[in-house]
């Protein structure tokens, strides 16, 4: 019986000693404990265009995916302008194609016929002048007056000038448009195409899309409001990555290494820690923020530490107080 009492007393004493040890063991054995708040990145979304909002598709608190359409502007005016630009582009392309194809066979045949007609007129005028001059020579200048000879000579010059004119016209048709004309037409096509593409881009900008997976924090405008690039419509909270912004004293700075494992808990779930790791450590000291009010470090210089947290169940919220334990 005495042995049993002795063993029991020893067990009680050992348990008490062990409990005292765990509650009074040095901080170096307990690990480093930091306090901070949950941080995450935020995005303010605004329309690129200036127009009236016709539709908003999400509310506060909804989760959105990258590429999801969150809202739309009135796009009727841009759609009509795009149709007009596409019609102008079609006209420019037809003009360029006509210059590339050159004259039609019928146009070439018509030009050749004009040349043949002018050649015949010139030959006829030349023959008439020759006959008048011959008759005048045979009669000693009595058969034909000088006035008739001058008129025939004038008709010959006119016929030859017309022949030269239609001949040059045929050469131009056969040569086709100049290189500069084709280049000008090509530039006009490219300008019209760029204008149409610009309008398509502006038309696409009438739809506001989520850039990343996120949660809608606030909805700042409503359908009927006039939107512009300076007026945000939604504020989004990016759920990944999340981190805890904490501060470590200079004396404990050597205990914190980038990439080191950490455990993060919140006041609402102290027994359900989240895995984390040390991210960025500031290289510049700063005064302790007013949010940290422990007696030991509230007036000390500290270094900011960013602790990245894995939160697949979305338990952490922006600004939530958190405790970081680093083994």
């Amino acid at each position: 019986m005495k042995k049993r009492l002795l063993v029991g007393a020893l067990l009680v004493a050992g348990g008490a000693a062990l409990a005292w040890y765990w509650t009074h063991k040095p901080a170096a054995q307990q690990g480093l404990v930091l306090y901070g708040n949950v941080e995450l990145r935020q995005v303010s979304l605004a329309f690129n265009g200036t127009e009236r909002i016709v539709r908003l598709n999400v509310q506060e608190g909804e989760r959105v995916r990258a590429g999801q359409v969150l809202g739309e502007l009135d796009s009727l005016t841009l759609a009509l302008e795009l149709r007009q630009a596409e019609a102008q582009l079609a006209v420019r392309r037809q003009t360029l194609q006509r210059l590339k194809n050159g004259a039609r066979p019928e146009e070439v045949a018509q030009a050749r016929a004009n040349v043949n007609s002018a050649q015949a007129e010139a030959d006829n005028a030349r023959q008439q002048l020759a006959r008048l001059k011959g008759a005048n020579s045979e009669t000693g200048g009595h058969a034909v007056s000088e006035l008739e000879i001058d008129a025939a000579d004038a008709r010959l010059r006119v016929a030859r000038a017309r022949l030269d004119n239609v001949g040059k016209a045929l050469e131009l048709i056969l040569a086709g448009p100049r290189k500069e004309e084709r280049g000008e037409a090509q530039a006009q096509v490219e300008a019209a195409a760029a204008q149409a593409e610009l309008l398509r881009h502006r038309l696409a900008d009438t739809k506001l899309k989520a850039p990343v997976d996120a949660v809608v924090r606030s909805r700042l405008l409503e359908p009927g409001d006039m939107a512009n690039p300076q007026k945000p419509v939604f504020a989004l909270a990016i759920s990944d990555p999340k981190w805890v912004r904490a501060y470590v004293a200079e004396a404990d700075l050597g205990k914190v290494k980038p990439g080191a494992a950490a455990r993060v808990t919140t006041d609402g779930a102290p027994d359900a820690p989240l895995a984390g790791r040390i991210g960025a450590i500031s290289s510049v000291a700063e005064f302790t923020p007013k949010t940290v009010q422990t007696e030991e470090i509230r007036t000390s210089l500290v270094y900011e530490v960013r602790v990245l947290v894995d939160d697949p169940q979305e338990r952490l919220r922006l600004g939530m107080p958190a405790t970081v334990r680093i083994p």
Side-chain angles (χ1 to χ4, degrees), residues 47 52-56 71-75 206 222-225:
F47 286 101
R52 197 166 302 280
I53 300 174
V54 297
R55 189 176 297 106
L56 294 178
E72 298 180 39
L73 296 178
D74 184 6
S75 60
T206 60
E222 294 297 329
D225 288 334

Side-chain angles (χ1 to χ4, degrees), residues 143-163:
V144 181
S145 65
E146 289 295 330
L147 184 60
E148 291 178 323
I149 294 176
D150 292 342
D153 184 63
R155 287 194 295 271
L156 176 59
R157 290 197 302 269
V158 171
R160 285 175 176 173
R162 181 174 180 274
L163 175 62

Side-chain angles (χ1 to χ4, degrees), residues 139-256:
T139 62
H142 298 290
V144 181
S145 65
E146 289 295 330
L147 184 60
E148 291 178 323
I149 294 176
D150 292 342
D153 184 63
R155 287 194 295 271
L156 176 59
R157 290 197 302 269
V158 171
R160 285 175 176 173
R162 181 174 180 274
L163 175 62
D164 184 66
N165 185 40
V166 296
K168 294 298 184 182
L170 176 60
E171 291 177 1
L172 288 175
I173 290 177
L174 294 177
R178 292 185 301 177
K179 179 181 178 180
E180 293 81 0
E181 293 176 336
R182 292 195 296 268
E184 180 183 4
Q186 179 67 43
Q188 291 176 348
V189 168
E190 292 175 359
Q195 178 65 21
E197 187 63 27
L198 174 63
L199 290 172
R200 292 190 192 96
H201 176 72
R202 292 176 58 190
L203 190 60
D205 281 344
T206 60
K207 294 183 178 181
L208 185 62
K209 297 181 180 180
V212 294
D213 295 350
V215 177
V216 179
R217 285 201 62 211
S218 57
R219 174 168 152 169
L220 306 175
L221 296 179
E222 294 297 329
D225 288 334
M226 184 64 71
N228 63 63
Q230 288 74 40
K231 296 171 64 175
V233 183
F234 292 103
L236 303 183
I238 303 176
S239 56
D240 188 25
K242 290 180 181 177
W243 67 90
V244 174
R245 188 190 305 274
Y247 296 87
V248 60
E250 189 275 335
D252 296 326
L253 191 59
K255 303 175 184 179
V256 181

Side-chain angles (χ1 to χ4, degrees), residues 5-306:
L5 292 176
L6 181 60
V7 171
L10 291 175
L11 291 176
V12 171
L18 184 61
W20 182 92
Y21 173 78
W22 280 107
T23 56
H24 294 81
K25 66 179 180 177
Q29 294 180 348
Q30 290 182 349
L32 185 63
V33 179
L34 305 177
Y35 301 94
N37 296 88
V38 176
E39 299 279 350
L40 47 81
R41 302 188 190 280
Q42 301 181 72
V43 179
S44 294
L45 291 184
F47 286 101
N48 284 337
T50 301
E51 193 52 78
R52 197 166 302 280
I53 300 174
V54 297
R55 189 176 297 106
L56 294 178
N57 302 326
V58 294
Q59 302 288 342
E60 290 88 342
E62 291 188 31
R63 181 169 296 279
V64 296
R65 298 298 179 186
Q68 180 178 342
V69 177
L70 307 183
E72 298 180 39
L73 296 178
D74 184 6
S75 60
L76 178 58
T77 301
L78 285 176
L80 295 176
E81 290 178 354
L82 177 58
R83 289 177 56 186
Q84 183 182 31
E86 289 175 341
Q88 292 175 349
L89 175 59
V91 172
R92 300 297 185 187
R93 284 174 173 168
Q94 292 298 325
T95 302
L96 176 60
Q97 190 62 41
R98 184 178 70 249
L99 292 177
K100 288 182 177 180
N101 292 337
R104 293 175 294 179
E106 295 80 3
E107 293 174 337
V108 175
Q110 183 182 25
R112 292 186 187 277
N114 291 336
V115 171
N116 294 334
S117 176
Q119 182 67 55
E121 290 179 4
D123 292 342
N124 183 49
R126 179 173 48 81
Q127 292 173 4
Q128 288 182 357
L129 179 60
R131 285 195 297 268
L132 291 175
K133 286 183 177 181
N136 192 39
S137 176
E138 293 175 356
T139 62
H142 298 290
V144 181
S145 65
E146 289 295 330
L147 184 60
E148 291 178 323
I149 294 176
D150 292 342
D153 184 63
R155 287 194 295 271
L156 176 59
R157 290 197 302 269
V158 171
R160 285 175 176 173
R162 181 174 180 274
L163 175 62
D164 184 66
N165 185 40
V166 296
K168 294 298 184 182
L170 176 60
E171 291 177 1
L172 288 175
I173 290 177
L174 294 177
R178 292 185 301 177
K179 179 181 178 180
E180 293 81 0
E181 293 176 336
R182 292 195 296 268
E184 180 183 4
Q186 179 67 43
Q188 291 176 348
V189 168
E190 292 175 359
Q195 178 65 21
E197 187 63 27
L198 174 63
L199 290 172
R200 292 190 192 96
H201 176 72
R202 292 176 58 190
L203 190 60
D205 281 344
T206 60
K207 294 183 178 181
L208 185 62
K209 297 181 180 180
V212 294
D213 295 350
V215 177
V216 179
R217 285 201 62 211
S218 57
R219 174 168 152 169
L220 306 175
L221 296 179
E222 294 297 329
D225 288 334
M226 184 64 71
N228 63 63
Q230 288 74 40
K231 296 171 64 175
V233 183
F234 292 103
L236 303 183
I238 303 176
S239 56
D240 188 25
K242 290 180 181 177
W243 67 90
V244 174
R245 188 190 305 274
Y247 296 87
V248 60
E250 189 275 335
D252 296 326
L253 191 59
K255 303 175 184 179
V256 181
K257 303 294 181 183
R263 308 293 286 178
V264 178
T265 58
T266 59
D267 296 341
D271 298 328
L274 297 171
R277 63 188 183 279
I278 304 300
I281 302 175
S282 175
S283 58
V284 180
E286 57 184 289
F287 286 102
T288 307
K290 293 182 179 180
T291 54
V292 181
Q293 290 295 331
T294 60
E295 293 182 358
E296 294 82 1
I297 66 173
R298 63 184 174 183
T299 59
S300 303
L301 290 176
V302 293
Y303 294 82
E304 179 184 322
V305 176
R306 181 172 296 188

